[in-house]
Structures are given as structure tokens and as C-alpha cells.
Amino acid sequence: MNTSRIVLLGTLLFLFSVTAWAQGNSHGYLLAGPGGTSPHGGGTLQIVGGGDSVFSNGASVGAELGYLLPFGDAGSGLGLFSVNGGYHFVKSKSKTTPFITGGYTGFFRGGYVNGVNFGGGVNYWFKERMGLRVEFRDNVALFDSSHSDHFLNVRIGLAFR
């Protein structure tokens, strides 16, 4: 899959998410955070933006676009594109909403590698439309049946609805 197709797919998913946000209990987020790789052990920084559309039963669908860069060499990072399903443990009148998530991740930089992601965290809504999001995410690049890399990150940032 070439980069222009990735950008087109990301744009379409973003537009779908914006439409869904207008119709339900949904939100966007901007996050950044440190992490590392396994099995190589190098330090990383991940920067992402995305959104979730949360249904009344707590199930969610979402998408995000981001950049994963190694410490000390920002120019050799990877682009990330994810499409996820999840579950938000929604309680009425609660400011805190824990969640779990997982799905597909595409890694791109001069080529494309398929992968998966999973994680969880919490949204804390300190205002009606603004909150803090903290989460752990593992993005796994699946190079072939015998080789995969894990990109583990703790991410923190703003959530908005």
C-alpha cells in the first residue's frame, strides 16, 4: 500500500469519526509519551491524534494517526495508522472513564508493514468538554511469522468532546 492510499484512508476515517462524534458520546484526543522497543530496547517517543465513537453500551470504534520516533534521531521515525475497537466502562455522572482498546496498526516509512495494537487507560473529564487521557499502548509490527517488534508507550494528553 503506498503512502497516498494511506493518507486517503486516514482522511476518510477521520471524516467518518467527525460525523460519528456529532451523533453520539464520542471524543478526540492528542497524546504524546515515552516508551521503548522490544526486542531491541531503544527509547522512543510517540505522538498521536485520533478519536473514538462510543456507543451507549460502552463499545467503541476509533482511528488514530501518529508518529513514532527513536530518542536522538527524530528523522528516522515511523508513521502509524490505527483502526481500533474497544470498550469504555461508562458510568453515568462519573468523571472517570476507564477503557480497553485493540485493533489494526499500519506502519509506514518508505514501505508499509501490517501490525496490531492493544492497550488501555482512562479518561478523566475535568470539564464537560475537556479532559485528561492517560493510556498504555503496545503497537506490534508483524514483519513475518518469525519476526515482530513491539513499540510500548505510555501516552498522556488532552481529550475533548
Side-chain angles (χ1 to χ4, degrees):
M1 184 178 268
N2 66 26
T3 304
S4 62
R5 287 185 184 172
I6 295 166
V7 171
L8 176 61
L9 182 60
T11 302
L12 291 174
L13 282 170
F14 176 76
L15 293 173
F16 168 76
S17 297
V18 168
T19 302
W21 290 337
Q23 297 174 1
N25 179 19
S26 301
H27 57 273
Y29 53 85
L30 296 171
L31 308 172
T37 63
S38 175
H40 307 296
T44 63
L45 174 65
Q46 190 175 95
I47 303 165
V48 300
D52 293 315
S53 183
V54 183
F55 303 102
S56 60
N57 65 359
S60 67
V61 294
E64 67 180 35
L65 190 59
Y67 191 65
L68 178 69
L69 55 132
F71 286 149
D73 191 8
S76 65
L78 296 171
L80 301 172
F81 171 72
S82 297
V83 180
N84 300 321
Y87 186 80
H88 292 247
F89 300 89
V90 179
K91 294 181 183 177
S92 65
K93 309 256 182 191
S94 177
K95 288 187 170 201
T96 304
T97 309
F99 63 90
I100 56 173
T101 186
Y104 170 81
T105 298
F107 299 84
F108 54 95
R109 179 193 164 99
Y112 195 84
V113 173
N114 293 310
V116 296
N117 74 80
F118 56 91
V122 64
N123 289 313
Y124 175 75
W125 300 101
F126 50 83
K127 292 186 176 184
E128 183 180 337
R129 298 176 94 30
M130 184 70 67
L132 174 71
R133 181 174 174 124
V134 178
E135 70 175 62
F136 167 81
R137 188 71 62 106
D138 183 4
N139 287 284
V140 184
L142 304 171
F143 294 103
D144 58 42
S145 62
S146 65
H147 178 224
S148 63
D149 284 349
H150 290 256
F151 299 96
L152 307 149
N153 285 87
V154 174
R155 309 179 327 175
I156 187 169
L158 290 177
F160 47 90
R161 50 184 173 188

